[in-house]
């Protein structure tokens, strides 16, 4: 694949010059990788990724892309292999009644007994990697830009199975598809590495809900989710993607979403992150044809001493591209939010229309946000804008609500909910919207 800008190099770190000086933490994580039952190209893919990880390092705050995100608490945890989960039931809290088709992965392992892939429309395939022919899987799996970023390579090195959604040519899928990745923790901390592959062939339409949560809904479970999602939006296809992270307050979550857009394609992402001791989302968009549309909406809600980092990179390499991004953060207590959004517009991308805005609401005098929206433009006929705002709840707004008979506490709740609802209301499933709004209320009122 050729492109004017390689999105993936943004998050890559150089190999160590001394191959004997390996990162002890990465080496330990690699030792937790289980053997694969597959061989041939699949095992070679894993082996190549493992070699790269062996010669890489965990990023630290001296790296520009990680200077606000300290991963030292992650390195202090001893993670163990994922055990086999028996007789797990799916609680009603995790079932979306409006959704007909569901894939469930427990600690990164496919759970067919909890999934529902019956009565699929013609041209739609939903399942795990076994349903794809090898030649098709080789064409798309781990073929997005940025595969050598250290956490992406670690995920590939540990590949055993993949959540697959394949939408054939001219197929329009009316109801959303739910991918549920659950973490179940035993006596010690675990690492799981979920993987998702979505391919929307030409002239197709699909809506995907990708959700990460812990099975018992407890706040103090320690685990590490290292997820990778690859989305291929082919010519004139349309993908609506909702990515929901509802992790334990003590969990670690590092996720990559790599999207490749062909000409005339449309992709929208509604990303909501709630909870997690340390969470990071790398969202990378690569435009491979002209006249694409990209809409990115994000919401981060954190409190206590949590850290949540969103890094996005949009490479608009061709003419007439349209990109709109709005990311919001609600930060309470001593929590720390990070936003870094990059939009690249090289000279061939004339008549590009790109806008980016980061809005942040601080609920405490000790909460913190580091925001850095970026435009890198060499084309001379474009319409581009970017900006960021940081504010607290306005006293006059609270006073206005109080003058209408609402007490101060409920006035604050109302204003926070309204700030969050602009993003949450874009999610296409009513029950999930209600669940998220309740979670936001709970977290911001601790």
């Amino acid at each position: 694949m050729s492109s004017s800008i390689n999105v993936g190099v943004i998050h890559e770190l150089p190999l160590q010059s001394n191959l004997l000086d390996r990162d002890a933490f990465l080496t330990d994580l690699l030792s937790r990788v289980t053997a694969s039952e597959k061989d041939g190209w699949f095992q070679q893919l894993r082996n190549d990724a493992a070699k790269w990880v062996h010669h890489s390092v965990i990023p630290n705050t001296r790296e520009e892309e990680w200077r606000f995100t300290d991963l030292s608490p992650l390195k202090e945890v001893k993670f163990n292999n994922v055990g086999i989960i028996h007789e797990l039931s799916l609680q009603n809290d995790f079932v979306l009644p409006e959704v007909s088709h569901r894939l469930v992965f427990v600690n990164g392992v496919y759970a067919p007994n909890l999934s529902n892939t019956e009565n699929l429309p013609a041209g739609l395939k939903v399942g795990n990697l076994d349903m794809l022919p090898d030649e098709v899987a080789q064409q798309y799996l781990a073929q997005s830009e940025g595969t050598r970023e250290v956490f992406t390579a670690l995920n590939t090195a540990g590949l055993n199975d993949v959540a697959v959604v394949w939408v054939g040519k001219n197929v329009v899928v009316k109801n959303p598809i739910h991918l549920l990745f659950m973490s179940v923790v035993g006596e010690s901390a675990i690492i799981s590495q979920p993987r998702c592959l979505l391919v929307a062939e030409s002239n197709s339409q699909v809506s995907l809900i990708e959700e990460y949560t812990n099975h018992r809904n407890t706040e103090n479970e320690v685990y590490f989710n290292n997820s990778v999602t690859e989305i291929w939006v082919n010519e004139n296809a349309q993908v609506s993607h909702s990515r929901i992270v509802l992790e334990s307050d003590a969990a670690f979550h590092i996720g990559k979403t790599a999207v490749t857009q062909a000409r005339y394609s449309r992709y929208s992402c509604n990303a909501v992150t709630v909870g997690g001791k340390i969470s990071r989302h790398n969202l990378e968009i690569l435009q491979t044809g002209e006249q694409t549309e990209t809409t990115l909406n994000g919401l981060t809600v954190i409190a206590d001493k949590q850290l949540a980092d969103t890094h996005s990179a949009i490479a608009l390499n061709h003419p007439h591209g349209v990109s709109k991004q709005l990311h919001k953060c609600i930060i309470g207590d001593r929590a720390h939010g990070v936003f870094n959004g990059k939009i690249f517009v090289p000279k061939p991308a004339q008549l590009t229309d790109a806008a980016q805005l980061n809005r942040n609401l601080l609920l405490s005098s000790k909460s913190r946000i580091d925001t850095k929206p970026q435009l890198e433009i060499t084309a001379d006929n474009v319409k581009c804008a970017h900006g960021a705002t940081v504010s607290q709840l306005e006293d006059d707004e609270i006073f206005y609500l109080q003058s209408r008979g609402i007490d101060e506490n409920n006035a604050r709740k109302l204003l926070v909910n309204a700030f969050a609802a602009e993003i949450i209301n874009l999610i296409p499933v009513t029950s999930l919207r209600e669940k998220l709004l309740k979670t936001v209320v709970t977290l911001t009122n601790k």
Side-chain angles (χ1 to χ4, degrees):
M1 179 183 300
S2 62
S3 60
S4 302
I5 296 175
N6 182 341
V7 181
V9 300
I10 296 169
H11 301 298
E12 288 181 10
L13 298 176
L15 290 175
Q16 295 183 22
S17 57
N18 182 359
L19 299 188
L20 296 178
D21 184 22
R22 292 175 173 170
D23 189 301
F25 179 70
L26 281 177
T27 301
D28 182 67
L29 290 184
L30 278 175
S31 71
R32 308 299 173 189
V33 170
T34 57
S36 171
E37 297 180 356
K38 305 182 189 320
D39 53 15
W41 71 271
F42 188 86
Q43 188 58 48
Q44 186 62 48
L45 184 69
R46 284 171 43 114
N47 292 343
D48 291 345
K51 290 177 183 178
W52 185 270
V53 174
H54 267 307
H55 303 153
S56 301
V57 294
I58 289 288
N60 56 57
T61 54
R62 293 189 298 273
E63 303 291 339
E64 177 62 25
E65 295 299 323
W66 291 84
R67 67 192 183 104
F68 297 119
T69 303
D70 182 9
L71 294 179
S72 56
L74 173 67
K75 299 177 71 172
E76 294 171 358
V77 180
K78 181 71 172 180
F79 293 102
N80 292 311
N81 293 328
V82 174
I84 299 175
I85 307 299
H86 297 285
E87 299 181 358
L88 188 68
S89 61
L90 195 63
Q91 302 171 20
N92 290 334
D93 291 346
F94 301 125
V95 176
L96 303 178
E98 304 94 330
V99 176
S100 303
H101 303 112
R102 178 179 62 248
L103 280 183
V104 179
F105 282 68
V106 179
N107 294 344
V109 179
Y110 181 46
N113 59 311
L114 303 179
S115 304
N116 182 7
T117 59
E118 298 178 353
N119 302 318
L120 294 173
L124 173 65
K125 296 180 180 179
V126 178
N128 65 342
L129 190 60
D130 290 338
M131 75 177 191
L132 287 182
D134 282 355
E135 60 272 15
V136 176
Q138 288 181 69
Q139 182 181 354
Y140 290 103
L141 185 61
Q143 299 305 307
S144 301
E145 299 284 358
T147 56
R148 290 182 174 179
E149 184 270 326
V150 60
F151 289 106
T152 305
L154 179 63
N155 181 288
T156 304
L159 266 181
N160 271 300
D161 211 345
V162 183
V164 177
V165 177
W166 187 284
V167 190
K169 292 181 180 179
N170 305 311
V171 174
V172 176
V173 183
K174 295 181 179 180
N175 294 322
I177 298 166
H178 187 199
L179 305 185
L180 178 61
F181 297 94
M182 291 195 300
S183 296
V184 180
V185 181
E187 297 179 355
S188 58
I190 62 167
I191 174 174
S192 61
Q193 305 201 80
R195 189 74 173 231
C196 174
L197 173 66
L198 185 152
V199 179
E201 296 200 80
S202 58
N203 303 304
S204 64
Q205 294 182 27
V206 67
S207 178
L208 180 73
I209 297 171
E210 177 187 359
E211 182 180 1
Y212 297 88
T213 189
N214 63 322
H215 183 250
R216 286 187 286 267
N217 281 325
T218 55
E219 299 181 354
N220 57 357
E221 289 189 331
V222 180
Y223 55 91
F224 176 24
N225 264 332
N226 178 37
S227 70
V228 174
T229 297
E230 295 177 284
I231 298 177
W232 298 83
V233 193
N234 289 319
E235 184 174 338
N236 200 39
Q238 179 174 327
V239 173
S240 173
H241 178 207
S242 298
R243 185 181 191 271
I244 313 299
V245 176
L246 296 170
E247 300 284 27
S248 155
D249 289 349
F252 301 88
H253 183 105
I254 295 179
K256 160 74 76 64
T257 302
V259 182
T260 305
Q261 285 191 252
R263 64 177 184 169
Y264 311 134
S265 65
R266 297 168 298 284
Y267 171 77
S268 65
C269 179
N270 303 312
V272 178
T273 298
V274 180
K277 183 173 184 177
I278 296 177
S279 63
R280 168 138 170 168
H281 183 207
N282 294 323
L283 175 56
E284 301 176 357
I285 313 293
L286 178 63
Q287 180 201 44
T288 61
E290 69 274 11
Q291 211 163 322
T292 62
E293 294 182 14
T294 307
T295 304
L296 307 180
N297 298 296
L299 174 67
T300 298
V301 185
I302 49 176
D304 298 326
K305 296 182 180 180
Q306 297 171 332
L307 187 153
D309 183 350
T310 297
H311 268 60
S312 66
I314 307 172
L316 299 170
N317 298 318
H318 298 271
H320 299 281
V322 177
S323 170
K324 306 295 180 185
Q325 181 175 21
L326 171 63
H327 189 85
K328 289 186 166 187
C329 297
I330 301 174
I331 307 170
D333 300 324
R334 296 173 179 265
H336 180 192
V338 181
F339 173 79
N340 187 188
K342 300 184 182 73
I343 300 177
F344 300 95
V345 188
K347 197 167 185 63
Q350 301 295 334
L351 299 172
T352 288
D353 182 356
Q356 180 185 75
L357 177 61
N358 175 220
R359 296 181 60 197
N360 303 284
L361 180 61
L362 305 184
L363 302 181
S364 163
S365 60
K366 296 182 179 179
S367 56
R368 174 184 170 191
I369 178 69
D370 287 289
T371 177
K372 187 182 178 184
Q374 286 180 254
L375 293 175
E376 295 188 18
I377 305 170
T378 54
D380 52 16
N381 186 8
V382 299
K383 179 182 177 182
C384 295
H386 69 307
T389 65
V390 181
S391 63
Q392 295 180 319
L393 293 176
E394 298 289 344
D395 290 339
D396 56 348
E397 293 178 348
I398 296 174
F399 175 77
Y400 175 81
L401 292 175
Q402 287 180 293
S403 70
R404 294 299 184 269
I406 302 174
D407 63 71
E408 181 179 355
N409 186 46
N410 284 324
R412 290 179 178 276
K413 289 181 183 179
L414 187 61
L415 292 171
V416 171
N417 287 353
F419 187 85
E422 183 179 2
I423 303 299
I424 292 177
N425 285 341
L426 298 172
I427 294 171
V429 177
T430 301
S431 60
L432 184 55
R433 290 198 300 266
E434 294 174 350
K435 175 181 175 181
L436 289 172
L437 285 171
K438 290 179 181 178
T439 304
V440 170
V441 170
T442 301
L443 186 63
T444 56
N445 286 279
K446 282 186 175 180

